[in-house]
Amino acid sequence: MLKINSMKEMKTIMFQDLKRKRIKPTMLSRQKRDWVLATFSVTEEDEGPFPKFIAKLYNDNSINNELKYRIMGSGIDQDPEQGLFVVNQTTGDLFVTRKVDREKHPQFKMTVFALRSHDSFNLDRLQSYYISVKDINDNPPEFPKIVENITIPEVLGKGEIQAVDKDEKNNRNSKVSYTLISQTQISSPKMFAMIQDSGEITLQGCLDYQFYSLVIRARDDGYPKPLSSTTTIHFNIKDGNNHPPVFDSQSVIILRVKVTDEDLPNTPAWRAKYTITEGNEHGNFKIETDAETNDGIVTLIKQMDYEGGPQRKLKIVVENEEPLFICGDDNDKNSKIESESKTAIIEVVDENDAPIFNVTNILIKRIEGLQPGEKLGTISAYDPDAFYKNKIRYVKAFDPEKLVSVNEVTGEVETVKEMDRESPFVNGTSYNIIIHAIDDADPPLTGTATIHLDIKDENDNTPYLVSPEQYVCIDSNSPYIDIKAADDDMDPFSGPFTFELVDNKEPGIEKWKLGEVKDDSVQLLREGELALGYYDVLFIIKDRQGVSKESTFKLRVCHCNPENKCKSLSDTRSIGAGILIAMLFVALLLFLRKYRNISIRTRCQFSSNSNAIDYDAPFGTLIKYNEEGGGASSEVRIYKPFKI
């Protein structure tokens, strides 16, 4: 035995040995154990079945140790969404237990522990993972307001409207494009254009002082189906200074009255003071003193209405700034002197007034599905002119869906097409129609009324299963399957739903029962293990009003691949291929037993005896072949019939 007395001596021996064997020395180092890193993700609003496999955690300490995995963090033992993620402590399989909304929680942070199974000793450093929630296109673009009434100046060059999409930013689900569906104005050509990508509204010409209405659609680029919404913008154009002042042929002064005073000019005793004591009850006039001529100047300060009468009689009283004094001691005589007065007659010339609707905002409630030809009501307007009445006709100014017609003479409004609440021009349940009453004056004047059509939902749809066919892996540990229903009607003709199981008494079908109900979904619990195959489960689903429909939920139990997908999706509902083969084989055995006395006069010649039939073998046994695919030679020469 070689004795080594020191470390230096050991190193010398090792060097000599390496030199003698000509072996290149190798530096040995401890290999660092670590986690296998990966990116985890789940798809929002996934319907399951749950729990659903996400990924497999792995730490290379498992090579030499039996590990158990533990996880903690948001979505696990912390808010938000506690209990959303679970892990199989033995295998490291990570599962999601229910659906999640990305718009509420786009990401979760998870910390993973690799513990030794028998004593829970932490074998490695903690590792943090982020579980991201993949976006689906489940949010249409939304405008800030459903209907906007905006006042803008005539000098406006451009404007902008923006819709907000709550889906993930910077991807196609939230990329919004804009379309100008329709534009309505009284007399001008099409004035507005829209830039598709930005929502910027530009002008094709100059605005005029009148009413404009635009219907705009915002649509995302989501896959597989884009979503959209509409908004209606009503523009009231505020008159701007686009016309220079021009002198009228008539002065604003409608009357000048003259007085004579023998007192010294330009003194308080000479200067006149005028007052209108009668005929100015509505404040249409004012009278002032011309400082140079001492005349009284009557001006019109408020528009007059011909319907108040074709004439106005003004009583004008004049006195001096200084009280009148009469020489003498008779004070009673001074007090009884009346001021000078004069009556002026003002002729009022009639001008056309715009028609006035009896009701300018009309609310009409109807149920969807109303057929063409149904009368909605009659609108009426009158001409406020008292002496010169104009004829009035009624026209539609805004009806983008072209839903109604208006009788030009009577104002009767009736439908020309079926009411559809799902129309892009209907915002929720509201649809607006603008009607004009136009007189026949020159130029014609217009009055405006708005019909607010409230289209109520009808309970004309029954509840249905969102996913009528699902599959579950045979090795799934989930005790239930989430069944979700929907109804195309609005509240209160939709959910929450009532679920009932129907016993179809089909032989061999496992018994089921219902678990927790959450508004539009229910847990389908299985009692006992399920064998491979297909199962039909009959439901009765009722909406809040009790309207129901029998629905069949088709469940397939299958072997799954590592991605938790069925290995084969061929649909053999009635009978499996294996059962069919077994039945054919049994029939063949029965045939052989019945005709076992059949003698074959001539038999087929085979190319070799390797596949010869052993006729001593008992009936009902399988013939042994030594080649794949059967064993019957392709060199059969003569086939002669059996003799019975």
Side-chain angles (χ1 to χ4, degrees):
M1 180 179 292
L2 179 62
K3 185 177 182 181
I4 301 174
N5 297 318
S6 67
M7 182 62 70
K8 182 177 181 181
E9 184 177 351
M10 182 182 74
K11 290 181 179 180
T12 302
I13 294 173
M14 289 176 63
F15 177 77
Q16 291 174 351
D17 187 57
L18 290 171
K19 185 176 180 181
R20 180 172 62 252
K21 295 182 180 181
R22 296 180 180 179
I23 299 175
K24 185 177 180 180
T26 302
M27 181 65 70
L28 300 176
S29 62
R30 180 181 179 271
Q31 183 178 358
K32 183 180 180 181
R33 292 185 172 90
D34 208 342
W35 293 94
V36 174
L37 300 179
T39 301
F40 302 151
S41 63
V42 295
T43 301
E44 71 165 326
E45 303 298 341
D46 191 339
E47 295 294 338
F50 297 110
K52 188 169 186 177
F53 178 80
I54 301 175
K56 190 177 186 67
L57 303 175
Y58 181 76
N59 185 285
D60 58 9
N61 277 291
S62 62
I63 298 174
N64 300 317
N65 297 274
E66 185 176 341
L67 298 184
K68 63 179 178 181
Y69 297 89
R70 287 183 183 172
I71 57 176
M72 62 180 293
S74 59
I76 303 165
D77 58 348
Q78 301 173 17
D79 288 330
E81 297 283 348
Q82 287 192 42
L84 180 62
F85 303 104
V86 295
V87 68
N88 185 316
Q89 293 190 0
T90 303
T91 64
D93 290 343
L94 184 65
F95 297 90
V96 62
T97 61
R98 59 183 180 270
K99 64 183 180 181
V100 61
D101 186 356
R102 192 208 68 84
E103 282 68 50
K104 293 182 179 178
H105 311 297
Q107 192 178 65
F108 297 87
K109 185 177 181 180
M110 174 181 67
T111 302
V112 184
F113 301 82
L115 307 177
R116 196 160 51 201
S117 293
H118 67 276
D119 59 1
S120 297
F121 178 75
N122 192 8
L123 294 175
D124 208 336
R125 60 188 176 89
L126 303 183
Q127 179 63 41
S128 293
Y129 294 91
Y130 286 95
I131 304 175
S132 61
V133 182
K134 293 182 179 179
D135 185 44
I136 64 170
N137 191 30
D138 58 343
N139 290 283
E142 294 180 355
F143 289 97
K145 296 180 180 179
I146 295 178
V147 178
E148 298 189 16
N149 293 284
I150 301 175
T151 299
I152 60 175
E154 284 183 297
V155 297
L156 182 70
K158 62 182 179 180
E160 187 176 89
I161 186 168
Q162 292 289 329
V164 178
D165 196 307
K166 296 179 182 178
D167 289 318
E168 185 177 358
K169 303 303 178 186
N170 302 319
N171 74 13
R172 63 188 301 175
N173 290 341
S174 60
K175 182 182 179 182
V176 180
S177 60
Y178 301 87
T179 304
L180 182 57
I181 297 177
S182 69
Q183 52 181 308
T184 306
Q185 50 272 335
I186 297 174
S187 59
S188 302
K190 301 300 183 184
M191 294 293 300
F192 298 90
M194 171 157 279
I195 298 178
Q196 184 176 10
D197 294 333
S198 65
E200 185 176 297
I201 304 171
T202 60
L203 296 177
Q204 303 294 94
C206 296
L207 293 174
D208 196 7
Y209 176 51
Q210 58 175 303
F211 172 84
Y212 297 86
S213 182
L214 307 183
V215 178
I216 298 170
R217 179 175 63 200
R219 178 177 176 175
D220 63 29
D221 192 32
Y223 178 84
K225 181 181 180 181
L227 301 177
S228 65
S229 61
T230 61
T231 188
T232 302
I233 303 178
H234 300 302
F235 287 111
N236 294 310
I237 309 302
K238 183 180 179 182
D239 192 20
N241 187 17
N242 57 344
H243 298 94
V246 178
F247 285 106
D248 293 333
S249 58
Q250 297 179 351
S251 173
V252 293
I253 299 174
I254 62 172
L255 180 65
R256 180 183 285 266
V257 293
K258 293 182 176 292
V259 294
T260 301
D261 195 311
E262 295 180 359
D263 292 317
L264 182 65
N266 300 317
T267 63
W270 175 83
R271 285 193 288 266
K273 184 172 66 172
Y274 300 92
T275 306
I276 302 174
T277 60
E278 294 180 9
N280 194 31
E281 288 78 9
H282 298 290
N284 299 101
F285 308 97
K286 75 174 181 177
I287 188 167
E288 297 175 313
T289 302
D290 187 330
E292 294 183 2
T293 65
N294 216 22
D295 294 342
I297 301 173
V298 180
T299 56
L300 183 68
I301 60 173
K302 183 179 178 182
Q303 184 178 0
M304 299 184 67
D305 188 359
Y306 184 83
E307 284 62 46
Q311 289 184 343
R312 300 290 190 275
K313 291 183 179 181
L314 303 183
K315 184 177 181 180
I316 302 172
V317 176
V318 62
E319 57 187 0
N320 296 119
E321 291 182 359
E322 183 178 307
L324 181 65
F325 171 76
I326 303 267
C327 183
D329 297 332
D330 193 351
N331 292 329
D332 291 338
K333 183 178 179 181
N334 285 335
S335 63
K336 292 179 181 178
I337 297 176
E338 293 185 0
S339 300
E340 186 78 10
S341 67
K342 185 175 183 179
T343 299
I345 298 177
I346 308 296
E347 297 285 345
V348 181
V349 179
D350 188 24
E351 286 193 358
N352 186 31
D353 294 311
I356 298 175
F357 278 93
N358 293 314
V359 182
T360 56
N361 287 283
I362 307 159
L363 177 62
I364 299 176
K365 296 183 178 182
R366 290 293 186 273
I367 298 176
E368 68 168 331
L370 199 65
Q371 296 300 310
E374 295 288 339
K375 182 179 177 180
L376 297 180
T378 301
I379 56 174
S380 61
Y382 64 91
D383 189 337
D385 295 316
F387 299 96
Y388 302 100
K389 296 290 187 180
N390 296 296
K391 290 183 179 180
I392 296 176
R393 60 188 178 92
Y394 302 95
V395 297
K396 287 192 306 179
F398 181 73
D399 180 19
E401 180 66 14
K402 297 179 175 57
L403 181 63
V404 301
S405 66
V406 179
N407 188 297
E408 189 175 87
V409 178
T410 64
E412 183 175 278
V413 181
E414 68 176 32
T415 58
V416 295
K417 63 188 297 187
E418 182 179 351
M419 283 189 183
D420 182 10
R421 186 183 58 80
E422 286 73 32
S423 165
F425 299 103
V426 177
N427 289 299
T429 61
S430 179
Y431 179 75
N432 293 334
I433 305 166
I434 297 175
I435 307 296
H436 284 168
I438 305 174
D439 64 23
D440 61 349
D442 185 18
L445 295 182
T446 301
T448 301
T450 302
I451 297 175
H452 304 280
L453 188 57
D454 188 9
I455 304 176
K456 294 297 183 182
D457 190 24
E458 186 179 23
N459 198 5
D460 55 350
N461 294 287
T462 56
Y464 59 89
L465 294 175
V466 175
S467 300
E469 297 187 15
Q470 292 189 34
Y471 67 88
V472 64
C473 300
I474 194 169
D475 55 355
S476 172
N477 296 322
S478 177
Y480 64 87
I481 301 161
D482 274 323
I483 308 296
K484 185 174 182 180
D487 194 317
D488 292 335
D489 292 319
M490 296 180 64
D491 185 75
F493 303 122
S494 56
F497 302 112
T498 302
F499 297 85
E500 296 179 7
L501 279 177
V502 179
D503 186 6
N504 59 358
K505 300 179 180 179
E506 184 176 345
I509 296 295
E510 299 288 338
K511 296 297 182 182
W512 308 88
K513 68 178 182 179
L514 298 181
E516 182 181 0
V517 178
K518 294 182 178 179
D519 293 338
D520 60 351
S521 64
V522 65
Q523 293 178 347
L524 180 62
L525 305 176
R526 60 186 185 187
E527 294 184 325
E529 297 296 326
L530 296 179
L532 292 170
Y534 292 87
Y535 300 86
D536 289 348
V537 184
L538 298 184
F539 283 92
I540 291 179
I541 308 173
K542 298 179 181 179
D543 64 19
R544 287 171 60 184
Q545 307 303 320
V547 176
S548 64
K549 180 183 179 182
E550 188 174 285
S551 301
T552 301
F553 175 67
K554 295 182 178 295
L555 177 66
R556 182 185 182 197
V557 180
C558 61
H559 288 296
C560 293
N561 57 25
E563 287 76 30
N564 270 8
K565 298 291 179 68
C566 278
K567 290 183 179 179
S568 174
L569 296 179
S570 59
D571 191 358
T572 55
R573 294 281 191 272
S574 59
I575 190 166
I579 298 175
L580 182 61
I581 294 172
M583 292 175 64
L584 292 174
F585 180 68
V586 171
L588 178 61
L589 291 179
L590 293 175
F591 175 80
L592 292 175
R593 291 180 64 87
K594 184 175 181 181
Y595 299 106
R596 60 184 180 272
N597 295 324
I598 295 176
S599 60
I600 302 176
R601 298 295 186 185
T602 305
R603 43 183 164 161
C604 303
Q605 297 180 2
F606 295 87
S607 59
S608 66
N609 58 6
S610 61
N611 295 323
I613 299 175
D614 183 3
Y615 289 99
D616 296 327
F619 286 100
T621 62
L622 293 176
I623 301 173
K624 182 178 180 181
Y625 293 98
N626 293 323
E627 61 186 51
E628 183 179 0
S633 173
S634 61
E635 296 183 4
V636 178
R637 297 177 181 175
I638 301 173
Y639 294 93
K640 291 187 178 181
F642 293 104
K643 182 178 180 181
I644 301 176

